[in-house]
Amino acid sequence: MRFRLFALIMSLLLSVVIVQADDAFKLSDPNGDPGIRRVWAQPGQTADQILPAAAGGREVTSSEIDPGPAPEGDYMGAVTFTPDGTRVLVTNSITQNLTVFDWSTMAALANVDVGVYPGGVAATNDYAVVACAFDDTVQIIDLSDYSTAAVFDTAEQPWVVRISPDGSRAYVACDIDDVCEVIDLDSLTRLQSIPDFPISLLSWSFGSETGRTSVQFTGFEVTPDGNHLLAFDRDDSLFFINTATGAKDHTVTGVGNAAAIGLSGDGLKAVLVEYATPTVAWRVSLATHAVDAAVTVTGYSLSTTAVGVDYTGAKTYLGVSDNSSAFVRFGTGDFS
């Protein structure tokens, strides 16, 4: 299924007219300005179920076709900084490589071949960890010389990567099998798979004028002490998952259909936001494992799949509907 999905995505790049012909997918306003639409996934939906070609039941075959002039770029999977802030890492899903940029000069330092459809990426001082969704691998790239240090097989469709605060472990969440692979970056060994891990497709976005599509998945965070993964199930619960045993040590309920999570700079608070109208932001204390504040952003829905939190967790920043941004203030229970 994963290679068929890859073919479907490629076919969309060459089949813009098909997308535009369906009223549900028209992107231009009456003035002709291009737009981007996001299709939010229901809990449990996967990428192969939500793509229009798959939904329409069309069978796809592959052919060698000259597409003409090269496009202006590739399908960016994810972007991250190295911990020291000197380099930026970008996964390019269609050309299947990792590009490394020098942050100060914006010069490309390297293009590193990786696996099929690289998406999620995270970095330590020594390594880049790249999740390759459609060949079920995670690839470890040595940042000293951009060589491949290791390749590990994973469960089906790895998408989201996080690094422990001390840089010793990588956590790679896989959508189809709902597991999180744990990689030891000191010994370059695969330690375990955490089962029943709540990762799911969150949204699929497309722009017919550019022939580009992208997918977003639910994220998770590692607690500052490295002992737990904070992951939510889009069904009212946030879990504190033990990184050593895989057990759900604590469960916080009452957080609705959460779509994004972020940590405060001091590592004492987590903030979750709901995909709903109106959207709601919940603040969770990592010490008490409970919601300690909540603010309803009246009149607005969530429009992004990320959340920004300040150092103490007193405020959070959201992208919301009507081309707006919201600053939520937990102390006063309001927003601007």
Side-chain angles (χ1 to χ4, degrees):
M1 179 177 290
R2 56 184 178 272
F3 292 106
R4 180 180 177 189
L5 177 55
F6 180 69
L8 289 172
I9 293 173
M10 288 297 291
S11 73
L12 288 174
L13 180 62
L14 302 175
S15 305
V16 174
V17 174
I18 294 175
V19 174
Q20 289 179 314
D22 187 340
D23 286 342
F25 298 109
K26 285 182 178 177
L27 302 180
S28 296
D29 67 15
N31 297 320
D33 295 328
I36 296 176
R37 295 290 183 266
R38 174 175 287 115
V39 178
W40 290 90
Q42 296 300 312
Q45 279 188 305
T46 57
D48 51 294
Q49 295 172 338
I50 202 171
L51 290 172
R58 293 189 291 272
E59 292 296 325
V60 177
T61 57
S62 60
S63 302
E64 293 292 333
I65 300 173
D66 182 0
E72 70 276 12
D74 199 350
Y75 279 45
M76 290 196 302
V79 180
T80 191
F81 277 93
T82 53
D84 62 8
T86 62
R87 288 175 286 183
V88 178
L89 312 178
V90 181
T91 53
N92 301 293
S93 298
I94 297 300
T95 50
Q96 302 177 23
N97 60 70
L98 174 74
T99 300
V100 182
F101 291 97
D102 180 274
W103 177 241
S104 61
T105 66
M106 299 297 171
L109 301 176
N111 284 301
V112 185
D113 291 335
V114 290
V116 179
Y117 212 84
V121 59
T124 70
N125 290 319
D126 300 315
Y127 297 115
V129 182
V130 182
C132 300
F134 294 150
D135 67 358
D136 305 334
T137 64
V138 56
Q139 307 216 2
I140 314 298
I141 306 302
D142 190 325
L143 292 177
S144 67
D145 59 7
Y146 306 118
S147 63
T148 300
V151 177
F152 298 97
D153 292 331
T154 69
E156 191 170 359
Q157 289 195 21
W159 286 102
V160 184
V161 184
R162 297 290 185 265
I163 302 293
S164 64
D166 64 2
S168 66
R169 291 187 177 187
Y171 300 95
V172 184
C174 306
D175 179 38
I176 302 301
D177 295 318
D178 292 331
V179 304
C180 184
E181 307 285 10
V182 184
I183 308 296
D184 188 310
L185 296 176
D186 292 331
S187 62
L188 293 180
T189 57
R190 179 177 168 276
L191 295 178
Q192 62 172 322
S193 294
I194 298 174
D196 191 27
F197 192 83
I199 175 181
S200 64
L201 179 68
L202 185 62
S203 68
W204 171 65
S205 302
F206 59 93
S208 65
E209 285 82 358
T210 61
R212 303 296 168 83
T213 67
S214 66
V215 289
Q216 295 289 327
F217 287 80
T218 54
F220 64 97
E221 297 292 341
V222 189
T223 56
D225 60 11
N227 293 332
H228 291 95
L229 304 179
L230 301 175
F232 52 90
D233 65 359
R234 299 188 66 200
D235 189 25
D236 208 42
S237 295
L238 169 69
F239 304 105
F240 286 66
I241 300 173
N242 192 297
T243 54
T245 67
K248 293 180 174 67
D249 288 344
H250 310 283
T251 299
V252 180
T253 58
V255 294
N257 179 12
I261 185 172
L263 284 176
S264 61
D266 60 12
L268 300 179
K269 306 286 186 179
V271 173
L272 293 97
V273 291
E274 183 176 18
Y275 172 59
T277 303
T279 190
V280 182
W282 292 275
R283 189 178 66 185
V284 175
S285 167
L286 301 193
T288 64
H289 316 111
V291 173
D292 65 9
V295 176
T296 299
V297 187
T298 305
Y300 293 92
S301 59
L302 187 68
S303 66
T304 61
T305 54
V307 54
V309 188
D310 73 348
Y311 186 78
T312 65
K315 301 175 184 178
T316 190
Y317 168 83
L318 309 175
V320 294
S321 54
D322 295 335
N323 196 31
S324 300
S325 301
F327 286 93
V328 174
R329 297 179 287 258
F330 289 110
T332 53
D334 60 2
F335 69 94
S336 60

